[in-house]
Amino acid sequence: MLLPSGIVLGFSVNRSDAGKRAEEALLPLMKKLPFLAVVLTIAGLLPFIFGACCIVFFNSGVPVPNLLMAFIFYGAMCLSFWGAVQWGLALEPEPSIVTATTGQLDTTRLLLGVVPAALGWLAAYLAFAWQPIAGLGTLAVAIPAIALVERAGWRRGALPTGYMGLRWIATAIMECCVVIVLLLRLV
């Protein structure tokens, strides 16, 4: 990280005036995540954690299949929400990130924003029409895959500051829950 004094991890660097002006011009263009977004993300993980704990710790006398379906459908809804995040960024009246290729980036966001919803639908459909284990498997692959795609966009500066940190936390918790439930159902 470049500090105002021109020091990067303890090493000094020569920064031109043009470089300094360009960096200062970009800083206001990036919006930071609001604290409420962090709180709501953590709160949104609670049903996932609760569902996984109930599936793991309840005995066979409890209607686990219904709970398992609810768990899979909530995962599908979360995937759809992550696609909606991309749509929100693309349709924002004043983009949080302004680049020369903003129009092309918005088109890509709209197209890629549909993929998580489609994968969520596939997970729910497979769980309902075939076997819940197939829905869990789809979630287990889709959750980290979508995060990796978003990471590629974040590395190119296409996502707001702080988004990927929060996204990795949500991804890690959801993936752990899905993998634990998947392993339990396979055993």
Side-chain angles (χ1 to χ4, degrees):
M1 177 167 175
L2 192 58
L3 301 174
S5 63
I7 297 175
V8 178
L9 300 175
F11 299 98
S12 65
V13 294
N14 292 327
R15 291 178 25 198
S16 67
D17 287 335
K20 289 178 188 175
R21 284 191 304 271
E23 184 178 305
E24 289 169 0
L26 286 176
L27 288 177
L29 297 176
M30 296 291 290
K31 294 180 184 175
K32 292 190 177 185
L33 289 179
F35 179 71
L36 183 60
V38 176
V39 171
L40 292 174
T41 299
I42 302 301
L45 292 171
L46 294 178
F48 223 76
I49 295 167
F50 179 74
C53 288
C54 288
I55 292 167
V56 169
F57 295 116
F58 279 159
N59 63 20
S60 61
V62 177
V64 173
N66 292 338
L67 189 57
L68 183 60
M69 293 301 282
F71 180 81
I72 293 167
F73 287 142
Y74 190 72
M77 288 187 334
C78 289
L79 288 178
S80 296
F81 178 79
W82 285 335
V85 167
Q86 299 306 316
W87 273 63
L89 289 170
L91 299 176
E92 190 174 29
E94 293 181 27
S96 59
I97 302 160
V98 180
T99 64
T101 60
T102 299
Q104 180 183 4
L105 179 63
D106 288 345
T107 301
T108 303
R109 280 188 174 134
L110 290 172
L111 292 172
L112 290 177
V114 175
V115 174
L119 291 172
W121 175 85
L122 179 64
Y125 177 77
L126 290 174
F128 181 74
W130 189 34
Q131 291 288 326
I133 199 88
L136 284 171
T138 304
L139 288 177
V141 171
I143 290 169
I146 292 167
L148 290 172
V149 170
E150 285 186 341
R151 180 179 178 264
W154 174 79
R155 292 185 82 191
R156 284 188 237 113
L159 292 167
T161 305
Y163 175 78
M164 279 314 295
L166 185 60
R167 179 67 162 87
W168 282 124
I169 292 168
T171 298
I173 291 171
M174 286 183 67
E175 187 67 10
C176 285
C177 291
V178 169
V179 168
I180 288 169
V181 171
L182 182 62
L183 291 174
L184 179 73
R185 302 310 285 175
L186 287 174
V187 175

